Amino acid sequence: MRTVLSRRRLAAAAAALLAAGGLAACGGADDDEGGGGGGTASSGEPGKVAGFDGTTIRVGVLTPLTGPVAVIGKPLTAGNEVFFDAVNAKGGIAGKYKVELVQEDTQYRTDLTVQKYNKLKSDVVTVGQVLGTANTLAIVPQLRRDGLIAAPASLDGLWVREETLLPIGGPYQVQAINALDHYVNEGGGKGKKVCSFTQDDAYGEAGQQGLEFGAEKLGVSLGTNQKFKVGDKDVTGQVQRLRSAGCDMVFLVATPTDAGTIWGTAAKLGFAPRWVGQSPAWIDELGASPLKDYLEKTVWIVAEGTEWGDTKVPGMAKMVDDVKRYKPSQQPDYYFAFGYNQARAVAGVLEKAVQSGDLSHDGIKQALEGLGTFSFDGLTGDYQYGPAADREPPRSSTIFEVDPDKPFGLGTLKYNAESPHAKEFTFEKADL
């Protein structure tokens, strides 16, 4: 209950932020050419609308390109770019409409995300990426008013029932449940003390919500939950409290810069529990850092898909081939793969909208509702789209262990782990 109430307070704060700064920045998309509906030419070809001039489809990107979370935003956007480079090389969507990405730097700040959304919303058919749980929550009220669809680069379970969003992947809550089940039943964690260390925002609360659900189902009594703020340089107090509490396993919800600070502090203090990091906690530089021996002994990461270069998985084989063709300098990167998958889903919606002859915001929304089950060929689980009330996300996750000799520093411990309790988790719409 505490988690639900806190998330509602955060959502209310996001809505207040939007009301205070967002609406004054620009008029709604309903005022735009074709933004709220229509746009169908009599020939059956899509007519000109906001973000489509008859030849090029413009897709927005709201991501941190500077600041500490740019280590995620840049490769994520590179994944978007490579997928659409491959589409454009074949003529574009439906073989004839090329896609152009309109990128805006949010610095991972909710206020800036709202400002940049208002800047681009009248010039795109959809927002193909918005990075961050709190940042996505901040623009959902206006997406609803504008009738615009956005693809969150975040795995919060709230997105499943939100009709203005195009989510991919197993939600954070599902990741946490699968990770805890694996630790307890296959990782020697039965009877051990499980604690958590979470980012003090909606992203942290999503992971904690899944951990609490899984613990209740598995009969695990959770220990202390410590929190930190993004960019905290000193987490000594929290790590000491985790150590004093006798935590055998700590579930960590963080982004890479903060995860590095936390693991560095723990290593310095001689605290070496089983760390299980939510997917955005890892970056390959950690596996090559002075901490690599500590991380190799203590850290698992719960995420999506498979190891980079595992061409037995069809989706990975296609992605690696596209990287060779369109960005050969790209290094193995989990976030690149997420961005590539995300662009794939966006392209699926655009293809369906073009088939219907309507690239307006309303046409994009109708295309998403009619998308059905969409396959990512093993790069992440298949997603059943359709009306938001009927959507079904993937319920599996992959457990990785730190292996500096592997691409991106992660080796597969268990591919597509799926706890029966992950199937029991139900999703609610954000109360905004």
Side-chain angles (χ1 to χ4, degrees):
M1 179 62 73
R2 174 179 56 79
T3 297
V4 172
L5 290 175
S6 179
R7 288 165 71 74
R8 286 178 176 168
R9 284 198 296 273
L10 187 144
L17 171 69
L18 183 64
L23 293 177
C26 186
D30 287 347
D31 299 331
D32 305 328
E33 177 190 2
T40 305
S42 58
S43 63
E45 297 293 324
K48 295 180 181 179
V49 294
F52 178 60
D53 61 4
T55 58
T56 301
I57 299 171
R58 290 166 64 83
V59 172
V61 172
L62 297 168
T63 200
L65 298 172
T66 59
V69 190
V71 294
I72 295 178
K74 288 182 176 179
L76 193 70
T77 304
N80 294 163
E81 291 172 335
V82 166
F83 185 87
F84 283 119
D85 284 346
V87 170
N88 289 341
K90 296 179 180 178
I93 299 296
K96 50 188 170 183
Y97 303 121
K98 293 193 175 181
V99 175
E100 175 186 345
L101 297 180
V102 183
Q103 301 178 27
E104 294 288 345
D105 181 10
T106 67
Q107 299 177 27
Y108 201 59
R109 288 168 41 195
T110 53
D111 59 339
L112 206 51
T113 300
V114 171
Q115 291 177 28
K116 295 301 180 72
Y117 167 79
N118 279 300
K119 179 182 176 183
L120 63 70
K121 69 178 184 180
S122 301
D123 197 30
V124 298
V125 300
T126 188
V127 177
Q129 181 207 138
V130 53
L131 174 55
T133 300
N135 297 331
T136 301
L137 277 171
I139 65 169
V140 163
Q142 196 158 341
L143 289 169
R144 292 175 182 173
R145 281 191 286 270
D146 296 338
L148 201 62
I149 298 296
S154 156
L155 295 172
D156 197 302
L158 289 174
W159 313 151
V160 175
R161 301 284 174 249
E162 177 52 53
E163 64 270 12
T164 63
L165 297 178
L166 169 59
I168 65 170
Y172 292 135
Q173 289 86 344
V174 166
Q175 287 188 353
I177 297 166
N178 286 330
L180 182 61
D181 193 316
H182 180 80
Y183 173 70
V184 170
N185 290 316
E186 300 181 51
K190 199 175 291 286
K192 301 288 188 178
K193 190 161 193 176
V194 176
C195 306
S196 55
F197 198 5
T198 57
Q199 190 167 299
D200 187 19
D201 63 8
Y203 164 48
E205 290 181 357
Q208 182 69 17
Q209 186 183 30
L211 188 70
E212 291 175 359
F213 182 89
E216 181 180 353
K217 296 294 182 182
L218 289 161
V220 173
S221 180
L222 291 179
T224 183
N225 169 226
Q226 297 294 308
K227 297 182 179 180
F228 65 93
K229 294 185 181 301
V230 173
D232 274 357
K233 301 299 183 187
D234 186 357
V235 292
T236 303
Q238 297 99 312
V239 173
Q240 285 177 330
R241 284 189 282 277
L242 290 166
R243 183 177 64 177
S244 297
C247 302
D248 297 299
M249 185 271 246
V250 179
F251 189 72
L252 177 64
V253 186
T255 53
T257 300
D258 291 321
T261 299
I262 290 164
W263 286 327
T265 301
K268 186 176 179 181
L269 293 174
F271 178 50
R274 165 58 62 198
W275 293 96
V276 181
Q278 193 102 59
S279 54
W282 183 256
I283 191 169
D284 59 342
E285 282 84 350
L286 288 167
S289 74
L291 284 172
K292 67 180 181 64
D293 292 339
Y294 174 84
L295 300 176
E296 192 171 7
K297 292 177 182 175
T298 63
V299 173
W300 294 346
I301 298 294
V302 57
E304 307 286 309
T306 186
E307 297 173 19
W308 185 284
D310 179 8
T311 53
K312 296 189 299 298
V313 175
M316 178 60 75
K318 174 69 165 56
M319 187 183 77
V320 169
D321 185 60
D322 283 344
V323 168
K324 288 179 182 176
R325 289 171 182 264
Y326 304 108
K327 194 175 174 61
S329 63
Q330 177 65 47
Q331 296 299 306
D333 193 292
Y334 171 81
Y335 306 106
F336 176 94
F338 190 100
Y340 184 90
N341 277 334
Q342 193 174 41
R344 186 172 184 166
V346 171
V349 172
L350 294 176
E351 290 280 358
K352 196 160 189 67
V354 168
Q355 288 173 13
S356 301
D358 189 356
L359 280 166
S360 71
H361 295 167
D362 189 55
I364 297 291
K365 185 177 180 181
Q366 295 299 320
L368 173 56
E369 290 187 354
L371 194 57
T373 300
F374 193 85
S375 175
F376 295 86
D377 287 338
L379 267 186
T380 186
D382 294 354
Y383 208 114
Q384 180 184 312
Y385 294 106
D390 300 330
R391 288 179 185 166
E392 180 58 37
R395 301 283 179 155
S396 62
S397 310
T398 299
I399 314 296
F400 294 97
E401 59 185 349
V402 174
D403 184 345
D405 294 329
K406 294 278 189 176
F408 199 54
L410 295 177
T412 301
L413 194 58
K414 185 166 185 177
Y415 179 60
N416 280 348
E418 185 171 302
S419 165
H421 305 303
K423 297 178 181 176
E424 300 174 33
F425 189 85
T426 58
F427 299 97
E428 298 179 1
K429 186 175 181 177
D431 184 16
L432 295 172

